């Protein structure tokens, strides 16, 4: 089980590589930090030659997913993962049930019981799959949709 989900996709370009990279450069505001900021462009990020590392420019939810990949002559690939800052924050949230049960046991309010261990495991699974998994699914889909509009590509079955 991976703690944080990722997506790796391959795509086929409809236009040529030069036109696609030109369109991506026009729609991307250069930013080394990959932070959200109000802009009229679709993405913020880094483009080096045919490789890119981008976040969506949507304020509030665009920085959750980082898209990195490369554009070859007639195809490309993109990897979508959760931004490093959000991974740190989500790791802290994942530790809350463990810390809570430890505090309850150490203060003497609860006795060590196998049911509590099952409850903690259940809470961690709900946080991971219910919150993190669903948020990643929807936000990565939105970011990939935006990338698809800019780059004009078709997804290829792996």
């Amino acid at each position: 089980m991976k703690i944080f989900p990722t997506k790796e996709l391959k795509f086929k370009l409809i236009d040529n590589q030069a036109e696609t990279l030109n369109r991506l450069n026009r729609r991307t505001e250069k930013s080394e930090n990959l932070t959200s900021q109000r802009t009229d462009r679709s993405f913020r990020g880094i483009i080096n030659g045919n490789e890119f590392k981008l976040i969506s420019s949507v304020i509030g939810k665009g920085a959750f997913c980082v898209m990195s990949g490369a554009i070859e002559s007639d195809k490309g690939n993109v990897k979508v993962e959760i931004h490093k800052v959000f991974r740190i924050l989500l790791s802290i949230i994942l530790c809350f049930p463990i810390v809570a049960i430890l505090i309850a046991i150490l203060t003497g309010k609860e006795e060590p019981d196998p049911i509590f261990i099952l409850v903690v495991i259940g809470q961690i699974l709900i946080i991971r799959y219910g919150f993190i998994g669903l948020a990643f699914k929807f936000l990565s889909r939105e970011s990939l949709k935006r990338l698809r509009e800019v780059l004009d590509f078709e997804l290829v079955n792996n």
Side-chain angles (χ1 to χ4, degrees):
M1 174 179 99
K2 291 193 287 186
I3 295 177
F4 298 109
T6 61
K7 279 186 186 178
E8 292 190 42
L9 303 168
K10 295 181 191 293
F11 57 86
K12 179 183 169 192
L13 297 177
I14 294 176
D15 284 336
N16 60 19
Q17 179 187 20
E19 179 63 34
T20 303
L21 286 171
N22 184 26
R23 206 169 30 248
L24 183 62
N25 276 314
R26 280 185 312 203
R27 299 298 306 156
T28 302
E29 182 176 309
K30 307 300 182 252
S31 170
E32 295 286 328
N33 298 329
L34 297 178
T35 56
S36 282
Q37 190 174 2
R38 201 167 295 279
T39 180
D40 60 338
R41 303 201 178 173
S42 299
F43 300 105
R44 289 180 46 96
I46 306 163
I47 301 172
N48 290 327
N50 66 338
E51 296 180 354
F52 59 88
K53 189 170 187 177
L54 308 168
I55 61 168
S56 177
S57 65
V58 177
I59 297 294
K61 54 187 176 180
F64 188 77
C65 294
V66 176
M67 297 175 289
S68 56
I71 300 170
E72 305 301 327
S73 59
D74 62 342
K75 61 184 177 188
N77 63 343
V78 63
K79 180 179 182 181
V80 184
E81 55 192 358
I82 297 176
H83 198 291
K84 190 176 187 177
V85 173
F86 287 102
R87 281 188 296 207
I88 293 168
L89 292 172
L90 293 171
S91 297
I92 293 169
I93 292 172
L94 278 170
C95 292
F96 281 167
I98 297 168
V99 171
I101 196 72
L102 287 176
I103 290 173
I105 290 171
L106 292 176
T107 58
K109 296 194 180 208
E110 297 291 337
E111 294 181 19
D113 192 6
I115 288 292
F116 289 125
I117 295 171
L118 291 176
V119 169
V120 167
I121 291 171
Q123 289 173 340
I124 290 172
L125 290 175
I126 289 171
I127 292 169
R128 164 52 179 92
Y129 291 103
F131 298 131
I132 297 172
L134 288 175
F136 179 76
K137 181 179 179 179
F138 292 119
L139 294 175
S140 67
R141 184 183 302 157
E142 192 174 307
S143 293
L144 283 169
K145 181 180 172 186
R146 191 168 227 186
L147 183 67
R148 187 176 184 175
E149 290 172 0
V150 171
L151 293 184
D152 200 21
F153 63 79
E154 295 175 352
L155 291 175
V156 176
N157 294 337
N158 294 338

